[in-house]
Amino acid sequence: MKNKFFKILFSNALLLLLIIKTTGQVQTIQIADSLKSKGLYIEAIDSYNFLISNQDSINYCRYQIACINSLLGKNDSAFNNLYLCIQNGASAENIMTDTDFLNLYDDPRWDSVKHCIAQQYLFQNLNITNKELAIELYFLGIEDQRFRTLRKNYKLKDKPSKQTVYKFQTYYFREERLNQIIDQFGWPVISMVGEEASEAAFLIAQHSNYKTLKRACKLMSSVYQSNKNEVDSRHVALIIDRKRVYRGRRQIYGTQLDQKYKYIDGKFTPVGELMFDPIKKKKKVNERRSDMGLIPIEEYAKSFGIEYMCKRKFLFFTY
């Protein structure tokens, strides 16, 4: 126990020695990040500011300073740095899902942050026909990915068992809202809302119950048949496969994989190999994938860490 104490003390002392106090000392992003992760916030801010003064990873450092100031309750500095980050292209997905910024949610200036992000999206999609809907869907899409691709931004020790505690939208809300949007506008196509917002609608449908999934699949397929530029063909392939697998049918494009899970020690744990759901007419799957803009299934399999081989009527999967 004593050795462990001195080891921690030495580690922190070494970091402190590396903090930039005078010109000529070496400084890196890794050192600054390490200081932040250890809760040495003031020292971390000094470190990030030094990097900024030397034109090193300026926007990243400003973002981290905004995070720290939010955690310290210094909202003025947090917002000032956030605005600068947004102006220089900081990721909206990161800003809107980073739990370091939870302290800012009740500040009226948080709406200004969202407005700045929205204006950036509109500037990147000047020709869309429904700007208000585009922004709403864009933010809904970010929420859909909050605990999926953006889960790295959840930095709290406790699990998000109750989304409303952190003011995160629920899956049910997004599904209901998507159906309302479809009732009013039809499927949100690219010319209407832009590529990212249209993709958001697809993602929400993809993660909804079968009734909504089936409705979205029908609408997207119809749009694709009439104008291939209005929806992403890859999304069409994915939702068609998801719908078929949902009903126990063979998929067409080989986009859906499955792995069995068991509830062990209070959490779902993967058991067995990750495998493709059954595919219809396997020998021609790559032809169909190519038609929809998808990479060959062998490459797709490798992205999941497995190998795909098709021989006669059998599929073989190995790690």
Side-chain angles (χ1 to χ4, degrees):
M1 187 73 180
K2 188 175 181 181
N3 289 337
K4 185 177 181 181
F5 170 77
F6 282 110
K7 188 175 181 180
I8 294 172
L9 185 64
F10 177 76
S11 176
N12 286 339
L14 182 61
L15 282 169
L16 288 170
L17 286 173
L18 289 169
I19 298 171
I20 305 307
K21 296 296 184 181
T22 58
T23 305
Q25 290 178 291
V26 177
Q27 184 60 289
T28 67
I29 289 290
Q30 289 76 17
I31 291 172
D33 288 346
S34 181
L35 289 167
K36 182 188 175 211
S37 68
K38 290 178 179 293
L40 300 171
Y41 293 147
I42 303 303
E43 294 85 350
I45 287 177
D46 288 342
S47 187
Y48 287 124
N49 276 325
F50 176 86
L51 290 164
I52 289 173
S53 69
N54 284 274
Q55 304 296 308
D56 187 358
S57 305
I58 294 174
N59 219 38
Y60 175 84
C61 292
R62 280 182 178 147
Y63 182 91
Q64 298 305 323
I65 290 173
C67 288
I68 293 172
N69 279 299
S70 173
L71 293 170
L72 292 174
K74 298 180 178 181
N75 288 13
D76 289 347
S77 183
F79 278 111
N80 288 338
N81 280 283
L82 259 185
Y83 292 140
L84 288 171
C85 288
I86 294 169
Q87 289 172 17
N88 288 283
S91 166
E93 290 85 354
N94 288 337
I95 292 171
M96 295 304 301
T97 60
D98 197 325
T99 53
D100 282 351
F101 296 134
L102 287 175
N103 293 333
L104 305 181
Y105 282 16
D106 290 326
D107 191 305
R109 287 171 290 184
W110 186 249
D111 287 335
S112 297
V113 167
K114 293 176 68 175
H115 177 74
C116 289
I117 291 171
Q119 291 306 305
Q120 274 203 341
Y121 183 78
L122 294 178
F123 180 75
Q124 294 165 0
N125 295 273
L126 295 174
N127 297 321
I128 58 177
T129 59
N130 194 327
K131 294 177 171 55
E132 185 176 346
L133 178 60
I135 295 305
E136 181 183 3
L137 275 170
Y138 180 54
F139 284 126
L140 284 172
I142 292 173
E143 288 297 322
D144 179 82
Q145 296 299 301
R146 181 182 286 274
F147 297 120
R148 292 184 173 91
T149 61
L150 303 174
R151 61 185 177 276
K152 67 182 188 302
N153 294 323
Y154 189 88
K155 302 172 183 176
L156 306 180
K157 292 181 179 179
D158 55 322
K159 294 182 179 180
S161 56
K162 293 183 179 179
Q163 291 176 307
T164 52
V165 172
Y166 306 110
K167 303 184 180 181
F168 302 156
Q169 296 168 341
T170 64
Y171 140 79
Y172 301 104
F173 171 83
R174 292 191 295 274
E175 181 180 2
E176 181 181 5
R177 182 62 189 129
L178 177 62
N179 277 300
Q180 291 170 351
I181 289 169
I182 291 172
D183 288 341
Q184 185 175 358
F185 301 104
W187 186 255
V189 296
I190 291 172
S191 64
M192 182 190 296
V193 297
E195 289 185 12
E196 290 179 81
S198 184
E199 179 181 17
F202 153 72
L203 289 170
I204 294 166
Q206 187 86 329
H207 302 139
S208 296
N209 64 30
Y210 180 71
K211 184 177 180 180
T212 300
L213 178 72
K214 180 181 178 181
R215 185 185 190 193
C217 183
K218 182 178 180 180
L219 289 169
M220 289 179 68
S221 297
S222 177
V223 170
Y224 183 69
Q225 289 172 9
S226 60
N227 188 340
K228 290 180 170 55
N229 295 320
E230 286 288 23
V231 289
D232 191 317
S233 59
R234 296 168 300 178
H235 298 161
V236 176
L238 280 158
I239 204 165
I240 287 173
D241 276 355
R242 178 68 66 92
K243 173 177 170 286
R244 291 178 68 89
V245 169
Y246 205 119
R247 301 300 290 177
R249 302 177 67 188
R250 290 178 178 271
Q251 58 178 323
I252 303 295
Y253 302 103
T255 64
Q256 305 298 299
L257 294 92
D258 184 42
Q259 188 168 28
K260 296 186 183 300
Y261 283 79
K262 282 188 177 180
Y263 198 69
I264 303 173
D265 296 330
K267 62 181 181 180
F268 285 101
T269 305
V271 293
E273 295 185 355
L274 178 67
M275 300 181 69
F276 283 89
D277 287 299
I279 302 171
K280 185 177 181 180
K281 296 181 179 178
K282 301 179 286 292
K283 290 183 179 180
K284 293 189 176 182
V285 66
N286 274 336
E287 292 180 29
R288 298 193 295 270
R289 289 178 65 87
S290 179
D291 289 342
M292 302 302 281
L294 297 167
I295 61 175
I297 197 167
E298 292 82 5
E299 292 181 33
Y300 185 62
K302 286 180 181 178
S303 70
F304 292 96
I306 63 176
E307 184 178 357
Y308 177 94
M309 293 183 293
C310 181
K311 293 184 179 180
R312 295 181 183 177
K313 295 183 178 180
F314 301 95
L315 288 176
F316 298 90
F317 308 88
T318 59
Y319 281 95

